[in-house]
Amino acid sequence: PTCFFKDPKGFGEKPVGNGPYKFVSWDHKKLIKVRKFDGYQGPNKAKNGGIDFKNYTTADAAYSDLRSNNLDWIEQVPTTALTNYKSDLGSRAIDEEYSAVQSIVPAFYTKQFKDIDPKVIQGLSMAIDRDTITKTVLHGSRTPADSYVARGVLGYKAGALKEQVTYDPAKAKALIKEGGGVPGNKISIQYNADQDHKPWVDAVCNSIRKATGVECVGDSKPDFQADLNARDKHQVKSMYRGGWVLDYPVNSNFMRDLYGSKAAGNTSGYANKQFDELANKADKAATLDETVKLYQQAEQVLAKDMPAIPLWFYKVNSGQSNKILGKIPYGQDGDPIFTDVQVKKK
């Protein structure tokens, strides 16, 4: 819109879009209001009058409001409530998998990982007891990953990663030794403290420490922006928490966009000529089927290099108020299809 060019900063505070909702107001770190745009001519017209996006300082506070029906939906149930949210909410509880994967990523620009033998990273991966952590610390809210590609995505291949993600303390220790060991015999995992990552980071560290003797600690940043800034500025000390949700449902999105040497999503400094060549060939393939198969070959290059350690696939563990008509519909990216949500009239 022409108003952007007249005042870019002002436009950032009061944007004008072309979607089913129009912007109303933004109270920073507290509330964003959007309302149905009656002039919208697209296929997904809003079936509700608008949305208030409310910010909370803690997930527990948001969950409390949800339970008391003062909130219609939350993005994620806090870890503290995962064991009982289904009994708390009953038919209002939501539990479904979507296409996203969480990992821990070595910063290859650091002295620690610059010339590391991939055997060391494979060993660290095999030192993580995914089954136990997902069942206990994460209360079944995640599924152990067996691929760099999330389930539900074209080209996902079950078991693309096998022994690399299988808990085996003896082999983990042996591989780390064969690879020359972890420089300094200590790693840290950077994460953002404004989301509920600390419990699983601590659990992963405990698993690595117990299995291999390698010291492991969490490195918390106050919020996600500070975490991203450290990644973009190549200030990560050792490893960082990685998470990727599909942009489009093809395996290339989980590989080229993260591990291509010139990809914007590659903030680790990883580069492999063979992977780049396979990805370029795949992108120029005559058919989608051929593209997918070439990327499956490229995934085996990643399986040897271990540019990241996949941990688990995500699930939506959420809830809705009793004011919502039916179940909130979700997209493959784990987000509600807000335009289809309908609320009971008062």
Side-chain angles (χ1 to χ4, degrees):
T2 53
C3 59
F4 165 80
F5 299 97
K6 292 176 183 177
D7 182 11
K9 190 176 180 181
F11 183 87
E13 293 291 320
K14 195 171 182 179
V16 176
N18 61 356
Y21 296 102
K22 60 181 178 181
F23 174 86
V24 176
S25 63
W26 179 16
D27 187 356
H28 286 246
K29 296 186 178 181
K30 291 182 180 178
L31 186 69
I32 294 174
K33 290 185 178 185
V34 298
R35 293 294 177 261
K36 180 180 180 179
F37 175 42
D38 291 325
Y40 178 65
Q41 297 299 310
N44 56 326
K45 292 184 178 181
K47 295 176 182 177
N48 49 67
I51 309 168
D52 290 350
F53 293 99
K54 190 174 180 181
N55 285 71
Y56 285 83
T57 53
T58 68
D60 291 288
Y63 182 63
S64 178
D65 268 4
L66 178 76
R67 286 188 67 186
S68 56
N69 281 298
N70 292 322
L71 196 65
D72 288 320
W73 171 82
I74 58 173
E75 188 174 12
Q76 175 68 35
V77 167
T79 302
T80 52
L82 281 172
T83 52
N84 56 8
Y85 86 100
K86 289 180 182 178
S87 58
D88 285 347
L89 300 175
S91 61
R92 296 162 52 198
I94 297 162
D95 178 17
E96 58 181 81
E97 193 170 297
Y98 63 102
S99 297
V101 62
Q102 187 152 272
S103 59
I104 51 175
V105 186
F108 292 100
Y109 51 79
T110 61
K111 287 182 180 179
Q112 185 175 44
F113 287 107
K114 190 174 183 182
D115 298 308
I116 201 80
D117 188 318
K119 287 181 181 178
V120 175
I121 307 173
Q122 288 173 15
L124 290 171
S125 179
M126 294 169 74
I128 301 168
D129 188 352
R130 292 165 178 77
D131 283 335
T132 298
I133 294 171
T134 52
K135 287 173 184 173
T136 58
V137 178
L138 295 169
H139 307 287
S141 65
R142 302 286 184 269
T143 306
D146 60 356
S147 169
Y148 280 96
V149 180
R151 294 201 295 209
V153 171
L154 187 64
Y156 160 75
K157 195 172 183 179
L161 296 175
K162 293 179 182 175
E163 64 175 12
Q164 300 98 326
V165 292
T166 302
Y167 181 56
D168 189 336
K171 189 155 189 181
K173 204 169 185 178
L175 278 170
I176 291 171
K177 188 177 180 181
E178 283 176 37
V182 175
N185 203 45
K186 180 181 180 179
I187 61 169
S188 61
I189 301 172
Q190 178 180 297
Y191 66 94
N192 49 304
D194 61 343
Q195 292 289 325
D196 210 11
H197 298 303
K198 189 178 188 300
W200 70 257
V201 169
D202 288 346
V204 166
C205 275
N206 289 337
S207 188
I208 290 172
R209 190 185 304 112
K210 186 178 178 182
T212 66
V214 174
E215 182 55 40
C216 179
V217 295
D219 178 16
S220 68
K221 299 298 176 188
D223 53 41
F224 191 38
Q225 190 59 58
D227 176 36
L228 290 176
N229 288 344
R231 298 190 214 177
D232 291 339
K233 294 176 182 178
H234 281 192
Q235 294 174 343
V236 177
K237 298 168 189 171
S238 180
M239 304 181 86
Y240 61 87
R241 175 198 72 84
W244 191 261
V245 184
L246 90 166
D247 295 309
Y248 50 94
V250 184
N251 58 356
S252 58
N253 182 226
F254 284 81
M255 288 187 270
R256 174 72 179 251
D257 295 327
L258 283 174
Y259 308 115
S261 58
K262 295 181 180 179
N266 183 347
T267 53
S268 70
Y270 170 75
N272 181 296
K273 189 177 179 182
Q274 184 187 2
F275 175 82
D276 283 346
E277 287 174 352
L278 271 170
N280 286 330
K281 187 179 178 182
D283 290 345
K284 294 172 184 175
T287 65
L288 180 59
D289 185 57
E290 191 180 347
T291 296
V292 167
K293 286 178 180 176
L294 283 166
Y295 268 109
Q296 287 176 333
Q297 290 179 35
E299 185 171 12
Q300 290 311 301
V301 176
L302 301 182
K304 292 176 184 175
D305 274 3
M306 296 295 285
I309 297 175
L311 297 175
W312 35 74
F313 300 132
Y314 280 81
K315 290 171 79 177
V316 174
N317 298 102
S318 181
Q320 62 185 59
S321 76
N322 61 14
K323 300 173 189 174
I324 302 293
L325 287 169
K327 279 284 186 182
I328 291 178
Y330 280 83
Q332 200 176 339
D333 59 0
D335 287 335
I337 302 170
F338 287 115
T339 50
D340 283 353
V341 177
Q342 297 184 70
V343 183
K344 294 175 185 175
K345 292 181 179 179
K346 294 179 180 179

